[in-house]
Amino acid sequence: KTGQLQLSNAASNARIAANNKPWKPVPLVVDRSECYAVGQNGVVKAVAMHPTQTSIVLASGLGGGLWRSTNDGETWEDVITNLPLVGMINRIVFAPSNPNIVYAASSTGVIKSTDAGKTWLQTSLNWTRYFPNVNFAGDDYRSEFMYVDVNPTNPNIIIATDCSPGDLVSKISRSIDGGLTWSSSVAFGSKNYIHDLKFHPTDGNIVYALIDKGGNVNFYRSINGGLTFDAPTNGFPNDYFNNLTERRGKLAVSPTTPDVLYLYYQYGELGAVFYTSLDKGVTLSKVCCGPSSEFINRTTADRDFFGENMGSVQVRWSTTLAASVTEANLVYASTNLRPRVSKDGMKSWYWDGNFAPMNEQPQSNISPNASPPCRSYIHGDIQDVAINGSKVWIANDGGLSFSNDGG
């Protein structure tokens, strides 16, 4: 039921040249065992499932590269070897109204596919044009704040995080012609940056954003398709903290409950908070955790929101939130070791898809098929999660983990 995909160190869209022969692709290394990966290479940053043909999966590596599977991950093909330079891909989105159209946001800009991810082209949002001397490796500071999303009813209307030369990812650009041309719709000020960006899953006029301003992540909302944004006073306390070193916020939506917005905010070592909106972001209310009178659930130093050990830098590296495409109120969240699961819209949390109570931590499973026996749980540092029906894909620092029985 569960497997692990390992991407080799060379999986950064690298090429090998020897004895003056032409460059050639480095093969993808796949480990289909159920063993927990220890000391192996292969951070996967983003994963996405085709919304109706769920055996089609796209996944991206830390240093670049994009792979496609048509058989639930049994085999994979590198699909961007034709592009001269694509850095770390941080988000992949299928257009809901036409899943043949796919967009991906990378540290070099936004790329596009019109055949469900088989082939790709660079859109005109291409940072290499005005950052000619930047090394677009996976650790470039812009990489982790590159996001893209597509209008739920028009696949040609897209929004993406963007930046100006010498600045952080502090503005949102918009295209209405499928990426042929872009215009900057809103800028949030020099040295601020964007933590997440989402369209409402059925209403293309509504866009949500989390903006880091002055050391705190604030909630913004657009009612005109991303042309302008406001920071409403709606129950989410913007500007609650200032100058926190490590903080990260994430958003999630689902077409099964389209007007519901999920918001997860981790404040480094201070604690975490989960907010939801039932009215398209007009009002937000805290649903978890800790006393209702406190904005956050305060934790001890270097602990995540469930009390597991972590360094506060993990907040910036691997904070994740995802909602099921098909099941109402099913949400995955993680900041550190492994994802936690909620089936009631983030009000309460469980260890995994078996809904084991948080006070009954399951023991590590021993894979019966491995020789010698090995641990078979998910690698830590969760980067992305995709949930559709009984299928769950989890991108992490050890590769990809897959379940076809609901986790």
Side-chain angles (χ1 to χ4, degrees):
K1 299 293 186 181
T2 303
Q4 188 83 9
L5 167 69
Q6 302 299 327
L7 302 185
S8 73
N9 246 350
S12 58
N13 206 24
R15 304 291 183 267
I16 295 175
N19 300 323
N20 296 319
K21 293 181 179 180
W23 294 81
K24 61 181 180 181
V26 175
L28 175 67
V29 177
V30 178
D31 178 2
R32 293 291 303 179
S33 74
E34 296 182 358
C35 295
Y36 173 76
V38 179
Q40 299 188 48
N41 299 306
V43 177
V44 174
K45 283 297 294 181
V47 62
M49 270 185 287
H50 190 291
T52 57
Q53 301 177 48
T54 57
S55 59
I56 298 175
V57 185
L58 295 167
S60 63
L62 173 64
L66 182 62
W67 291 267
R68 184 177 188 263
S69 175
T70 60
N71 51 17
D72 288 328
E74 291 291 335
T75 58
W76 296 83
E77 179 185 4
D78 187 354
V79 291
I80 57 170
T81 56
N82 62 302
L83 297 181
L85 176 63
V86 174
M88 184 186 81
I89 292 173
N90 204 45
R91 179 158 291 170
I92 307 163
V93 291
F94 287 86
S97 61
N98 181 0
N100 284 323
I101 298 177
V102 195
Y103 297 96
S106 81
S107 58
T108 52
V110 175
I111 60 175
K112 178 184 179 180
S113 172
T114 59
D115 52 14
K118 295 178 184 177
T119 59
W120 293 78
L121 295 172
Q122 180 76 53
T123 71
S124 62
L125 183 57
N126 183 354
W127 290 3
T128 60
R129 293 180 178 179
Y130 48 88
F131 292 117
N133 299 317
V134 170
N135 177 12
F136 289 98
D139 60 353
D140 179 73
Y141 71 87
R142 298 174 186 87
S143 305
E144 61 189 273
F145 300 109
M146 275 303 299
Y147 298 104
V148 64
D149 207 1
V150 56
N151 184 292
T153 59
N154 187 335
N156 291 318
I157 299 178
I158 43 180
I159 51 176
T161 53
D162 197 0
C163 70
S164 301
D167 203 356
L168 297 174
V169 185
S170 59
K171 67 179 182 179
I172 295 173
S173 288
R174 186 173 183 267
S175 175
I176 60 173
D177 54 15
L180 291 175
T181 60
W182 294 80
S183 60
S184 179
S185 63
V186 61
F188 292 96
S190 178
K191 308 307 178 185
N192 297 318
Y193 46 93
I194 300 165
H195 280 222
D196 211 348
L197 185 66
K198 295 278 187 182
F199 267 107
H200 182 283
T202 59
D203 185 346
N205 292 314
I206 307 297
V207 184
Y208 310 113
L210 288 176
I211 314 300
D212 192 301
K213 304 187 72 173
N216 192 42
V217 179
N218 291 350
F219 175 75
Y220 280 74
R221 181 174 179 266
S222 172
I223 59 173
N224 53 16
L227 290 173
T228 60
F229 284 80
D230 294 314
T233 303
N234 61 355
F236 184 78
N238 286 344
D239 299 318
Y240 187 82
F241 286 121
N242 288 306
N243 300 317
L244 285 177
T245 303
E246 305 296 344
R247 66 273 180 190
R248 183 57 55 90
K250 289 292 181 178
L251 300 168
V253 294
S254 171
T256 60
T257 50
D259 291 346
V260 176
L261 169 69
Y262 302 104
L263 190 158
Y264 166 37
Y265 192 179
Q266 178 76 38
Y267 286 91
E269 69 279 3
L270 290 180
V273 68
F274 297 89
Y275 269 67
T276 60
S277 171
L278 306 179
D279 54 10
K280 302 184 180 181
V282 175
T283 57
L284 282 153
S285 60
K286 178 183 173 183
V287 292
C288 184
C289 300
S292 58
S293 59
E294 291 191 20
F295 170 49
I296 65 171
N297 178 30
R298 292 182 180 272
T299 60
T300 59
D302 293 333
R303 299 278 177 170
D304 72 1
F305 65 91
F306 286 127
E308 287 194 328
N309 289 324
M310 75 167 194
S312 59
V313 70
Q314 288 293 136
V315 172
R316 182 169 57 86
W317 173 244
S318 55
T319 294
T320 305
L321 184 69
S324 171
V325 173
T326 54
E327 185 172 342
N329 301 317
L330 179 62
V331 182
Y332 277 57
S334 178
T335 292
N336 187 26
L337 294 179
R338 283 170 292 281
R340 305 301 179 223
V341 184
S342 174
K343 58 181 179 179
D344 59 6
M346 306 195 307
K347 296 177 183 177
S348 56
W349 293 91
Y350 300 86
W351 280 105
D352 52 30
N354 291 317
F355 301 112
M358 289 303 300
N359 60 353
E360 298 178 9
Q361 179 178 2
Q363 299 299 311
S364 300
N365 296 322
I366 301 298
S367 174
N369 301 319
S371 180
C374 65
R375 295 174 294 168
S376 60
Y377 55 83
I378 297 169
H379 195 291
D381 298 342
I382 309 302
Q383 302 289 342
D384 197 12
V385 178
I387 316 161
N388 191 325
S390 63
K391 296 180 180 180
V392 182
W393 284 93
I394 297 178
N396 53 60
D397 281 13
L400 278 172
S401 294
F402 171 63
S403 171
N404 60 9
D405 62 2

